[in-house]
Amino acid sequence: MNMHPNKKHQAKYIVITGGVLSGLGKGVAAASIGSLHKQKLKIVPIKCDGYLNTDPGTMNPVEHGEVFVLDDGGEVDMDFGHYERFLGIRAKSTWSITMGKVYKQILENERKGVYLGKTVQLIPHVTDEIKHRFKAIAREEQADLVLIEIGGTIGDMEIQLFVEAVRQLQFEVGRENLMQVHLTYVPIPTGTKEQKSKPTQTSVRMLNQAGLYPDMLIARCRRMLTEPVRQKIALFCNLEPEAIISGIDVHPIYDLPLVFEEQGVAELIHKRMHLYSPPALDETRRLVGNLKKLQKGPAREKTVALCGKYTDLEDSYASINEALLHCAAHLEVKINQKFIDTTHLAPETLPAALEGVDGVIVPGGFGVRGLEGKIQVIRHLREKGIPFLGICLGMQLAVIEFARHVCGLTGANSTEVEKEIGKVEVPVIDLLPEQVAITDYGGTMRLGGHDVEIRPGTRASEVYGGRTAIRQRFRHRYEVNPAYIAALEKGGLVFSGKAPGRDIMQVMELPGHRFFMAAQFHPELTSLLEKPDELFYHFVKAML
Ligand code: GLN
């Protein structure tokens, strides 16, 4: 029985800020901290980004990393990928708070007269809006623990209002309910062998100036911090030495919760906020152990090539890399990755590019560049019986390739390329009907989780263990043109998954091939270390 019917639910907050450098892995660190408590507590991650875009949906993945798609259709920062994978949760798009979203709300409120004639200001109106969002999420989700990650680096002008909102929040929710974690960097300059603590000291001083006083410091460093350095950082940052955690480089990243646990992170959180839920890390330990064993070798090895154009930044395909790693841990095979930039691929250079490759993934993408090269690669895989996994654009290209070279539809293409190369004679891939009237770019694709109906008796049915309905995440404007489905199937292509009650083809396969499957959805987004995505799993298995 609830003894305090009027007592409000009070969540605990852990706020993670970063210092010194960007790209230190705040998302992974925050997710790892959360994962120590996931067994017993309801954890909700919130990510704050200072940029003025509403979401990263329209940003170039080379600049910003992969766009992660949530089940509710939100296009969010790739850190949500870490959150979902580490915490085993399904995140919501409101948990991604960008300055763009905040300002949009403020301007709308102002026009509606919400501010009652007041001068609208950064403080209190913008900071109030930010705090309001934090608290509303905590309340709606009945969260036990809210992880607030503030993107960027302390000192960045664009995150100052988030920092100020947190400063105020700690007094509103009570100091015992809010804990601050600061992630910094301890370099070991070449030439010296010494760990340098000065950047950390400077960074913490900047935090202090903003009114924040960290309760725990995670210092990214190549090696465990030496005791003197730990003591020194503790002294300068007003902390006990045990609150200084070494955030050493780990491979795989799933090792980080284990590294944190060994250093007593859960215990520190307990001490500070009376929040105890004993970490249950046995399964993580086993799978991480498998992956480490593979790194040390000797191990069976396979090479997977990723054909894309966003090859400049590894983060562009972050979830695909993770999904492969999940399979590696379960199938106990070391997966080497190779990028093939198809922009300048020619028939003469193709065999060399595919030398030593055991399977190929053609991932999602947009625009014309590199398309023809990918089609050549897919043809080669089909003809030579090499395992192929197509994702989204990858499926569309596999259909184009099949239409051209098997069904004799020579001019087959996607109308996506029309703007760049002119009229497409045989539009086997065309805009989804509901997309025709849309002109805005942001947030207007067919996005998020949708059901997929799997056709019994197909390879897909085998892959999904006989299930006839699965749920997957989408992000596309184009689809297999329903007018060509019959012709393609007559040629031997099998559409083994579709949207229930609609003609949207969502899985395709070629019977008789070792593994030639493609999906209109993004299976990589929902793969977990503990439970690898089935399509990826069977693709990797087919290579063995
Ligand atoms: N450009 C294609 C479309 O919009 C594929 C999108 C993707 O691969 N995510 O349908």
Side-chain angles (χ1 to χ4, degrees):
M1 196 173 77
N2 191 349
M3 303 292 281
H4 305 282
N6 295 322
K7 194 168 181 287
K8 280 211 223 93
H9 174 84
Q10 178 58 62
K12 306 270 179 187
Y13 294 83
I14 297 181
V15 179
I16 298 104
T17 52
V20 185
L21 293 181
S22 61
L24 292 177
K26 237 183 301 140
V28 176
S32 298
I33 291 175
S35 77
L36 298 177
H37 299 278
K38 72 174 172 190
Q39 216 62 25
K40 292 247 173 67
L41 303 182
K42 166 99 194 240
I43 304 179
V44 174
I46 297 178
K47 170 87 197 277
C48 302
D49 281 301
Y51 49 75
L52 295 182
N53 305 62
T54 309
D55 60 43
T58 53
M59 293 180 177
N60 184 339
V62 174
E63 224 172 271
H64 189 266
E66 163 191 87
V67 176
F68 194 78
V69 181
L70 300 177
D71 190 79
D72 70 8
E75 296 178 282
V76 292
D77 186 273
M78 55 182 276
D79 276 336
F80 277 95
H82 300 309
Y83 290 138
E84 289 206 342
R85 287 187 281 265
F86 277 75
L87 302 174
I89 53 162
R90 204 179 266 187
K92 296 184 185 163
S93 43
T94 48
W95 305 353
S96 154
I97 306 180
T98 66
M99 233 30 213
K101 282 186 189 171
V102 173
Y103 283 141
K104 191 162 173 252
Q105 183 70 55
I106 296 281
L107 296 176
E108 278 170 21
N109 287 353
E110 187 270 335
R111 289 289 84 181
K112 280 192 203 139
V114 171
Y115 301 116
L116 302 171
K118 287 263 189 287
T119 308
V120 182
Q121 293 180 303
L122 298 182
I123 303 173
H125 299 104
V126 174
T127 43
D128 280 354
E129 173 65 29
I130 294 170
K131 282 184 294 176
H132 163 74
R133 287 182 180 227
F134 292 160
K135 290 186 203 160
I137 293 167
R139 194 176 52 241
E140 278 158 25
E141 300 299 331
Q142 289 286 298
D144 298 310
L145 176 60
V146 180
L147 295 169
I148 301 178
E149 178 195 346
I150 302 192
T153 310
I154 201 74
D156 291 351
M157 168 121 39
E158 54 179 21
I159 63 166
Q160 278 178 15
L161 290 166
F162 287 124
V163 171
E164 171 59 15
V166 167
R167 189 193 66 76
Q168 297 173 12
L169 183 72
Q170 63 186 328
F171 303 108
E172 293 177 20
V173 300
R175 290 279 294 132
E176 70 284 10
N177 294 318
L178 188 144
M179 175 171 176
Q180 299 172 32
V181 178
H182 189 55
L183 179 70
T184 70
Y185 180 53
V186 173
I188 306 175
T190 20
T192 74
K193 290 212 168 66
E194 242 181 297
Q195 300 177 338
K196 295 293 191 185
S197 68
K198 188 74 84 200
T200 297
Q201 295 175 42
T202 312
S203 172
V204 171
R205 199 166 306 130
M206 276 204 282
L207 254 185
N208 294 162
Q209 275 164 5
L212 296 190
Y213 294 84
D215 303 289
M216 190 199 303
L217 230 125
I218 300 173
R220 264 308 286 275
C221 189
R222 257 185 293 144
R223 288 193 274 284
M224 293 295 280
L225 297 181
T226 62
E227 205 40 44
V229 168
R230 215 172 160 216
Q231 299 276 354
K232 192 167 167 191
I233 294 177
L235 180 71
F236 279 100
C237 303
N238 294 312
L239 286 167
E240 304 281 331
E242 62 262 26
I244 315 294
I245 307 298
S246 303
I248 47 167
D249 299 345
V250 289
H251 300 287
I253 53 173
Y254 302 99
D255 197 13
L256 200 57
L258 303 172
V259 168
F260 282 176
E261 176 51 12
E262 266 163 36
Q263 297 182 65
V265 168
E267 191 55 38
L268 274 166
I269 295 172
H270 173 50
K271 257 197 188 152
R272 174 71 182 70
M273 292 202 294
H274 308 293
L275 185 70
Y276 196 60
S277 73
L281 294 167
D282 289 351
E283 182 63 357
T284 312
R285 202 166 278 126
R286 182 181 75 82
L287 293 165
V288 167
N290 280 356
L291 288 169
K292 284 186 163 174
K293 232 188 306 163
L294 292 169
Q295 283 163 10
K296 284 199 211 104
R300 51 178 179 175
E301 294 187 29
K302 293 288 166 194
T303 299
V304 172
L306 203 59
C307 285
K309 64 176 171 180
Y310 308 121
T311 46
D312 303 345
L313 181 71
E314 217 183 296
D315 279 352
S316 320
Y317 301 110
S319 293
I320 291 182
N321 302 340
E322 293 308 315
L324 286 172
L325 201 65
H326 303 159
C327 297
H330 286 261
L331 289 165
E332 298 187 40
V333 50
K334 183 172 176 201
I335 302 177
N336 305 312
Q337 276 192 56
K338 176 176 174 177
F339 283 100
I340 300 179
D341 186 345
T342 51
T343 317
H344 304 293
L345 204 65
E348 317 78 75
T349 56
L350 190 139
L354 288 176
E355 173 92 40
V357 169
D358 301 294
V360 176
I361 296 176
V362 178
F366 298 84
V368 167
R369 184 160 64 86
L371 280 197
E372 288 302 324
K374 289 181 198 168
I375 292 173
Q376 284 176 41
V377 170
I378 295 171
R379 178 179 196 171
H380 183 88
L381 304 173
R382 180 176 57 76
E383 292 176 347
K384 298 280 186 283
I386 301 168
F388 161 71
L389 175 61
I391 298 174
C392 202
L393 179 70
M395 164 161 154
Q396 298 172 358
L397 296 178
V399 168
I400 293 170
E401 190 282 316
F402 193 83
R404 284 187 194 172
H405 305 123
V406 179
C407 303
L409 299 165
T410 331
N413 215 329
S414 165
T415 51
E416 185 173 0
V417 305
E418 277 189 334
K419 245 194 260 155
E420 292 175 74
I421 64 164
K423 178 105 187 105
V424 167
E425 292 311 325
V426 188
V428 288
I429 305 296
D430 199 5
L431 265 185
L432 284 153
E434 62 266 39
Q435 287 284 331
V436 176
I438 293 175
T439 51
D440 277 3
Y441 261 107
T444 56
M445 283 187 258
R446 179 171 182 260
L447 285 167
H450 292 280
D451 293 338
V452 181
E453 206 175 84
I454 301 295
R455 196 202 283 188
T458 58
R459 184 86 182 257
S461 171
E462 221 173 274
V463 164
Y464 293 108
R467 278 179 293 155
T468 50
I470 59 169
R471 189 171 177 85
Q472 294 283 346
R473 294 187 195 174
F474 292 78
R475 183 174 188 248
H476 65 129
R477 274 183 223 288
Y478 293 83
E479 62 161 346
V480 177
N481 186 343
Y484 290 92
I485 292 173
L488 291 160
E489 292 207 309
K490 207 164 146 233
L493 189 156
V494 172
F495 289 112
S496 44
K498 65 186 275 298
R502 287 195 62 180
D503 253 352
I504 312 175
M505 297 301 113
Q506 304 187 323
V507 186
M508 65 142 284
E509 58 188 72
L510 290 184
H513 192 284
R514 188 137 67 101
F515 189 94
F516 194 101
M517 291 191 75
Q520 187 59 74
F521 48 78
H522 290 268
E524 72 276 18
L525 299 178
T526 42
S527 185
L528 301 176
L529 177 64
E530 300 79 18
K531 196 175 174 302
D533 167 75
E534 289 98 331
L535 207 48
F536 271 85
Y537 184 87
H538 282 86
F539 165 67
V540 173
K541 213 170 151 198
M543 292 191 298
L544 297 176

